[in-house]
Amino acid sequence: MAKESKCSCSVLLCCTEYETSRTLIVRNKTVGVTNRLIQAIIIGYVIGYVCVVQKAYQDTDSVISSVTTKVKGFAKTNSSDLGLRVWDTADYIIPPQEENSFFVLTNMIVTPNQMQTRCPEVRLPNPSTTCTSDSDCKEGFSDARGNGIQTGKCVDYSDAVKTCEVFAWCPLEKDTDLPEPAMLTDAETFTVLIKNNIRFPKFHFSKRNILPDVTSSYLKSCTFHRITDPHCPIFQLKDIVSEADEDFQDLAIRGGVIGILINWDCDLDLSHKKCIPKYSFSRLDNKNPENSAAPGFNFRFAKYFSVDGVETRTLVKAYGIRFDVIVFGKAGKFNLVPTVVNVGAALSFLSLVNAVSDWVLLTFTSKRHFYSQQKSTYSNATLAVSGTEE
């Protein structure tokens, strides 16, 4: 019964007690300097990082973008397959329109006057195509890496080699002799006009990379230069590749993928004239000297026509540079809600100052035991009043 009575009293006392803070002024250089130093660091963090660097007082929105491109330029080639020829935009931009990218033809392997007929397979060495007799060839068999469907006959490929005959577009393509230097070396002088329209829907703000002070006469003469013409939207292909730390003539042989990066980082609390795009360039496809398998960028296309009523085509294995236009960015504008939330959260670190200062005070100072006694006192107002009345 006595134990139960004591437990009841303890619970009762706990429920009727109230704790309040007590101000204890301590004249100690170590604790005082530590306290002010931590306060200065937190306030510097709030002002310098949260407000200035992170701009936590702003509401933000991501960019929505559309891109159109127009390439111009001429090139001349003189080859055994094509003869003397001038190339314009309709010839070397394949396809004419792509989403946020464009391809420029720089090199090619041409196989002219192909017709659907029978001819010896050319892929060597390959156990599925080389043969010594008809029994080595399977009629109707097709190899995804081959050029056609086998007819079941073993025919002469050369004086020393026989291969399985295939039904395909003949004569077959021979893609082992890639022209070096590239056929369209003049492609480095081509220019591209990039028109980029952007919008930040949350702030009802829109703009384009052709800035308001740009005139038609200026566009006819300007070419992008990072120092002299940083806002010109017309770029020379050689300059783009050079800014990506590549040599255009080397890249033109086997092709590749170059990224044109447009960054819209806008502070809408400032003048809208300061919201301007920043351009950068980078090679996007893998260029690893230790792994040279499947280098560059290429694809095939054909041009069809009729010769004496027979369907004929010219096959082109096209090598070139694909330019991907990548637009990214964000805008910020003052808003009270994120200001209160972010600044308040950062200032909450000030509550740690007293905890750290108390720890230094009660752990490292010579009078720590005295300070510990002064930190907490117990006041029994009921007993004090009763004692006075007696």
Side-chain angles (χ1 to χ4, degrees):
M1 294 292 291
K3 290 182 178 180
E4 292 179 358
S5 178
K6 289 181 179 180
C7 289
S8 300
C9 291
S10 298
V11 173
L12 182 62
L13 288 173
C14 182
C15 294
T16 57
E17 288 180 346
Y18 167 69
E19 294 180 359
T20 185
S21 59
R22 179 184 184 187
T23 302
L24 179 64
I25 301 175
V26 179
R27 298 186 181 275
N28 185 291
K29 292 182 179 179
T30 302
V31 178
V33 170
T34 302
N35 182 273
R36 300 307 178 196
L37 180 61
I38 297 174
Q39 286 179 339
I41 291 173
I42 293 176
I43 292 173
Y45 164 77
V46 173
I47 297 175
Y49 183 76
V50 176
C51 294
V52 177
V53 177
Q54 292 293 319
K55 297 182 179 179
Y57 57 87
Q58 290 183 332
D59 193 9
T60 60
D61 192 17
S62 298
V63 68
I64 296 176
S65 167
S66 69
V67 173
T68 58
T69 60
K70 182 184 293 184
V71 181
K72 289 185 177 181
F74 297 92
K76 183 179 71 174
T77 61
N78 192 355
S79 66
S80 58
D81 295 322
L82 301 174
L84 181 63
R85 178 172 178 174
V86 174
W87 298 73
D88 62 12
T89 306
D91 296 316
Y92 56 72
I93 300 299
I94 309 164
Q97 289 293 329
E98 286 190 86
E99 184 177 358
N100 296 339
S101 66
F102 60 96
F103 174 84
V104 177
L105 180 69
T106 57
N107 207 2
M108 71 195 82
I109 296 174
V110 180
T111 308
N113 301 321
Q114 285 187 320
M115 300 181 184
Q116 291 214 353
T117 183
R118 292 172 173 82
C119 51
E121 178 63 272
V122 298
R123 296 206 175 258
L124 295 171
N126 190 332
S128 65
T129 60
T130 55
C131 61
T132 57
S133 64
D134 292 349
S135 61
D136 296 327
C137 302
K138 300 177 182 179
E139 184 177 0
F141 174 78
S142 63
D143 185 353
R145 295 180 176 86
N147 290 283
I149 300 175
Q150 292 185 9
T151 64
K153 293 182 179 181
C154 183
V155 296
D156 292 333
Y157 173 72
S158 65
D159 293 338
V161 179
K162 287 187 174 184
T163 61
C164 293
E165 184 183 64
V166 293
F167 181 72
W169 285 97
C170 301
L172 300 180
E173 177 190 66
K174 297 180 181 179
D175 60 354
T176 55
D177 297 326
L178 183 64
E180 293 188 30
M183 291 183 65
L184 274 72
T185 56
D186 293 339
E188 66 180 15
T189 63
F190 297 170
T191 60
V192 56
L193 167 63
I194 299 178
K195 294 190 287 186
N196 177 213
N197 294 273
I198 62 102
R199 187 168 182 265
F200 295 105
K202 184 181 290 186
F203 306 124
H204 305 288
F205 177 84
S206 60
K207 201 168 185 178
R208 63 176 186 161
N209 66 326
I210 302 178
L211 303 180
D213 57 345
V214 171
T215 63
S216 298
S217 59
Y218 172 74
L219 287 179
K220 292 178 180 179
S221 59
C222 79
T223 301
F224 174 86
H225 187 279
R226 192 163 295 281
I227 298 175
T228 59
D229 279 304
H231 306 310
C232 178
I234 299 176
F235 304 82
Q236 191 173 60
L237 300 191
K238 181 181 179 180
D239 295 337
I240 294 176
V241 175
S242 177
E243 288 256 357
D245 297 325
E246 298 288 340
D247 181 78
F248 189 93
Q249 295 302 330
D250 290 342
L251 186 63
I253 295 172
R254 292 191 175 274
V257 182
I258 298 292
I260 302 173
L261 313 179
I262 306 178
N263 180 19
W264 292 87
D265 193 2
C266 299
D267 186 346
L268 299 184
D269 291 327
L270 305 177
S271 171
H272 291 181
K273 292 182 179 180
K274 295 185 177 182
C275 180
I276 56 178
K278 295 179 180 178
Y279 301 97
S280 59
F281 311 90
S282 175
R283 182 166 183 177
L284 302 182
D285 62 321
N286 182 35
K287 183 186 178 184
N288 186 355
E290 298 178 359
N291 183 6
S292 58
F297 182 80
N298 66 79
F299 60 90
R300 291 175 174 86
F301 68 93
K303 296 183 178 181
Y304 296 87
F305 52 95
S306 179
V307 176
D308 297 329
V310 178
E311 185 180 26
T312 309
R313 76 177 188 181
T314 296
L315 178 66
V316 178
K317 185 175 183 180
Y319 294 81
I321 306 172
R322 192 181 78 186
F323 296 88
D324 291 342
V325 183
I326 303 171
V327 183
F328 60 97
K330 67 176 183 178
K333 193 173 185 179
F334 174 79
N335 189 290
L336 185 61
V337 174
T339 301
V340 173
V341 172
N342 291 306
V343 175
L347 289 176
S348 66
F349 286 115
L350 287 173
S351 62
L352 298 175
V353 176
N354 291 338
V356 174
S357 299
D358 287 347
W359 177 69
V360 173
L361 179 69
L362 302 177
T363 304
F364 299 104
T365 59
S366 58
K367 297 181 180 180
R368 55 184 176 274
H369 298 295
F370 172 74
Y371 294 141
S372 178
Q373 293 174 356
Q374 298 300 314
K375 276 284 292 180
S376 304
T377 58
Y378 187 87
S379 175
N380 192 333
T382 305
L383 293 176
V385 173
S386 298
T388 303
E389 289 176 351
E390 290 177 358

